[in-house]
Amino acid sequence: MKTNNEQDTVAEAPVDKDFSQRRIAADKLKLLGVRLLSAAGMSHDDANMVSEHVVGNSLMGVDSHGVVRFSQYMSFIESGAINPSSTPLVVIDDPAMTRIDGGGGHGVPAMVQLAEYTAQKASSAGMATGTLVNCGHTGRIGAYAEMIARQGCFAVIIGGGGHTRGNPKVAPYGGREGIMGTNPYTLALPGGPTGVVVVDFATSTSAQGKLLAASKTGEPLPPGTILDRDGRPSIDARDYYAGGVLLPAAGPKGYGLGLIGELLAHGVLGQAKALNWLVLAVDLDLLSDDDYVSRIDDYLEWVKGRAPAEGFDEVMIPGEPEQRCRQLRKNAGIPIADEIWEEIIEWATRMGIMLSDIDVNSNSHRSQVP
């Protein structure tokens, strides 16, 4: 684990940051999310699925896609950006191909369905492809790649197509104007200390959710993450929301990957509501002629045994930091910054939701809830 303030990488990012003295148990936060989303018009099943996804992200220390999203999702529903009562529609259901139209609804239920379909079809066809269009925010994409990998598959998920909606917020390499979204890539396969290895990254320097969280907590951004509206480097997330842009990760590499995502998800799949998604699953039992799991585990064990660099305690496999944070937060509760909590309470008050049974842990005070 890093001991300095360098930029997060895939394999070492989540830590149990104590944004404030307020910590709330995961089950209480999930209940809160279900009440909010149900009051906004979601079915109980969909609200439960979205809330479980959101709180699960916070448990893992992925705060960019955690409880900070509850208020954002409520705003999306209020503005009409997400239709809370929509049901995903399977429009192509071939033996090795699925296409789902999200109907303008929340992306989590639609993506869960697509991941399940794609993994099932790969188990019989050897390889399967899925696409998701016309949906709202899909949350943390690594969660769906993990679902597929736990079915014995190699999973690849690529998103893009957001440049036509509003103001694109990621600049090309060498540019200062936005031309695309963060266009994530996710890859996963079974094995390792957590049972699955998931590599989940934006092709920009940061996921937008990290900027959203930083804008609430006041935490400075790593240098080289954004440019302000005048094209100058900034470490203040508020400059991004005031007309700035994200930079591509690793310069031309992130730019190239992000551009391919845009060409696939927009050029091939069509107009996106938020982002369109391509999902691939390869059945590893059919691909391998013997015990591939043992080779994977042996190699990862060897990797973990390598000497750490200066400033690190150990070499970790992608997914380990998240699982360690999950255990810590299951015991101690999920930390929530004041501004994020106040926004949630404001939404609860507006929707007439009683939250007196949501316990808040604080060493210095107890927040008052309706």
Side-chain angles (χ1 to χ4, degrees), residues 167-227:
N167 181 28
K169 301 296 286 186
V170 180
Y173 178 64
R176 52 176 285 190
E177 297 181 7
I179 58 130
M180 59 187 174
T182 56
N183 294 3
Y185 279 59
T186 302
L187 302 92
L189 74 171
T194 67
V196 63
V197 179
V198 181
V199 178
D200 180 8
F201 60 93
T203 54
S204 53
T205 50
S206 171
Q208 283 188 338
K210 289 188 177 182
L211 302 187
L212 178 64
S215 72
K216 306 294 184 186
T217 64
E219 186 175 2
L221 300 173
T225 300
I226 65 170
L227 302 178

Side-chain angles (χ1 to χ4, degrees), residues 270-349:
Q271 179 73 32
K273 181 175 179 64
L275 293 182
N276 290 333
W277 297 94
L278 174 70
V279 179
L280 303 173
V282 180
D283 186 283
L284 297 180
D285 286 330
L286 297 177
L287 189 66
S288 178
D289 59 1
D290 60 0
D291 184 10
Y292 66 88
V293 175
S294 292
R295 284 196 301 275
I296 288 174
D297 288 344
D298 288 347
Y299 173 67
L300 293 176
E301 184 176 354
W302 180 78
V303 169
K304 282 191 60 61
R306 299 308 89 194
E310 183 177 353
F312 291 78
D313 298 326
E314 62 179 307
V315 174
M316 289 196 285
I317 304 302
E320 278 193 282
E322 292 87 348
Q323 290 305 317
R324 293 182 187 185
C325 186
R326 179 182 179 85
Q327 191 57 51
L328 286 171
R329 290 186 173 187
K330 281 180 68 175
N331 295 330
I334 294 172
I336 304 179
D338 289 343
E339 185 174 347
I340 294 171
W341 182 245
E342 288 164 4
E343 288 180 352
I344 290 173
I345 293 304
E346 181 180 347
W347 275 107
T349 301

Side-chain angles (χ1 to χ4, degrees), residues 211 214-215 218-222 225-228 233-242:
L211 302 187
S215 72
E219 186 175 2
L221 300 173
T225 300
I226 65 170
L227 302 178
D228 67 15
S234 172
I235 60 172
D236 188 341
R238 292 171 296 184
D239 285 337
Y240 169 79
Y241 290 102

Side-chain angles (χ1 to χ4, degrees), residues 32 36 39-40 70-79 340-353 355:
L32 183 157
L36 284 171
F70 280 140
S71 294
Q72 185 184 54
Y73 291 160
M74 295 295 287
S75 295
F76 285 167
I77 292 171
E78 183 179 61
S79 69
I340 294 171
W341 182 245
E342 288 164 4
E343 288 180 352
I344 290 173
I345 293 304
E346 181 180 347
W347 275 107
T349 301
R350 287 179 57 186
M351 305 303 290
I353 298 171
L355 297 178

